Amino acid sequence: MPIRVRVQDSWEEVGLEVNATTTVGQMKRQALADARRPGDPDGYEVKFRGAALLDEAAPLERAGVVPNAELIVLPRRRQPVR
């Protein structure tokens, strides 16, 4: 199923083709790699429809993700404003 993932650091939108059984964590790592975001994936969280998907071992299907859904990957901690 196709999904869109917006990576907050760069606000780059990444289009991914995933299975319903793909886990939230696998999708997050793929989106960060495609957006060329270095660093530890554990420092990022995934949100869908405004809610954090806390169980990254859960398949996207269980999280309610449907084809053409838009998710966001953002740092777990707030970034300082300069």
Side-chain angles (χ1 to χ4, degrees):
M1 79 177 150
I3 60 171
R4 296 183 321 263
V5 183
R6 187 162 304 271
V7 180
Q8 194 246 2
D9 284 359
S10 62
W11 289 110
E12 181 175 345
E13 186 172 294
V14 177
L16 297 177
E17 186 70 35
V18 296
N19 295 318
T21 58
T22 302
T23 67
V24 174
Q26 290 169 329
M27 181 277 307
K28 175 178 75 171
R29 286 187 293 281
Q30 184 63 48
L32 289 168
D34 287 0
R36 295 175 293 286
R37 301 305 308 154
D40 184 11
D42 290 336
Y44 291 84
E45 67 180 343
V46 178
K47 288 192 175 184
F48 177 57
R49 295 182 178 162
L53 301 179
L54 301 175
D55 184 4
E56 293 191 3
L60 293 171
E61 179 180 55
R62 190 177 335 145
V65 177
V66 296
N68 297 313
E70 187 167 332
L71 296 96
I72 185 168
V73 175
L74 63 157
R76 290 190 189 276
R77 299 197 185 273
R78 292 181 181 223
Q79 303 297 311
V81 177
R82 294 177 192 232

